[in-house]
Amino acid sequence: MAKIGIFYGSTEGNTERIAEMIQELFGADKADVYNVDSATAEDMQGYEVLLFGASTWEIGELQEDWEPFMDVLDDVDFTGKKVGFFGCGDADGYPDTFIDALGIIYEKIENSGAAFIGKVPTDDFVFDASRAVIDGVFIGLPIDEDNEPDKTDTRVKNWVAQLKTEI
Ligand SMILES: Cc1cc2nc3c(=O)[nH]c(=O)nc-3n(C[C@H](O)[C@H](O)[C@H](O)COP(=O)(O)O)c2cc1C
């Protein structure tokens, strides 16, 4: 299986925990985890599969460490890479901008030559609008630790099982 690089930004640790869960489910020998607050384009270059994790803050904005990291993405050659997204949001508190950060990162690299994996149907979530919904499905895995923490384990496990069929 292709080696996987997991790159996350997390303010209160929720998305960080999800990144670690994903790593554990793949196996620590198959997936490496990086915080975007200190990761480089070179760190990303060696992976065929990249998983980007971000929470959404300030009503539809990127998690703060992702702001400068968006420029780092300009220095990555995404040709032939598979990219998936995951991230934490609050569908009850911010129903119009639920996990928008995933959509913001996707928009940045949608024409980069990457193939996108790990899309998730919207059925399991109650929200009004999300920039992360592309062609009727979430571009990646939404996690809602604020309202549905009991669903997190299953959502992450199912997503990793799905990814294993797509990489
Ligand atoms: C001030 C504030 C603004 C937020 N804005 C959004 C938002 O626009 N969309 C969303 O889905 N979640 C929003 N959230 C919820 C966080 O994304 C959520 O709590 C998440 O689990 C934080 O993850 P982290 O610890 O990885 O940063 C907001 C939370 C706060 C406190």
Side-chain angles (χ1 to χ4, degrees):
M1 191 168 67
K3 186 102 172 148
I4 300 158
I6 304 170
F7 291 79
Y8 74 89
S10 179
T11 300
E12 294 185 337
N14 289 333
T15 307
E16 179 176 29
R17 276 197 303 281
I18 305 303
E20 287 163 357
M21 285 173 72
I22 293 168
Q23 179 192 33
E24 197 177 313
L25 287 164
F26 277 112
D29 56 328
K30 301 203 174 55
D32 300 320
V33 177
Y34 299 81
N35 191 325
V36 299
D37 69 358
S38 55
T40 64
E42 201 178 20
D43 289 334
M44 278 182 275
Q45 208 54 70
Y47 298 100
E48 289 164 56
V49 177
L50 294 170
L51 302 180
F52 290 153
S55 49
T56 303
W57 285 86
E58 308 305 342
I59 311 184
E61 299 291 334
L62 282 172
Q63 190 274 338
E64 60 183 351
D65 299 313
W66 266 98
E67 293 285 355
F69 199 67
M70 292 293 267
D71 291 336
V72 175
L73 299 183
D74 289 330
D75 297 328
V76 178
D77 180 2
F78 283 98
T79 315
K81 292 194 190 300
K82 292 181 176 174
V83 176
F85 302 91
F86 63 96
C88 296
D90 173 352
D92 193 43
Y94 304 91
D96 295 320
T97 54
F98 181 50
I99 65 154
D100 269 17
L102 278 59
I104 296 171
I105 305 167
Y106 167 73
E107 286 165 22
K108 167 91 179 167
I109 60 169
E110 62 175 309
N111 298 314
S112 65
F116 296 100
I117 57 173
K119 296 172 190 175
V120 171
T122 56
D123 322 23
D124 192 29
F125 300 87
V126 178
F127 67 105
D128 293 327
S130 172
R131 213 164 149 179
V133 174
I134 312 289
D135 297 331
V137 294
F138 282 115
I139 193 65
L141 173 69
I143 292 293
D144 190 338
E145 286 289 83
D146 295 87
N147 306 294
E148 299 180 324
D150 48 315
K151 293 191 174 182
T152 295
D153 266 13
T154 305
R155 284 173 171 164
V156 174
K157 279 181 191 152
N158 288 345
W159 192 64
V160 170
Q162 176 186 337
L163 287 181
K164 285 179 179 171
T165 69
E166 296 180 25
I167 62 180

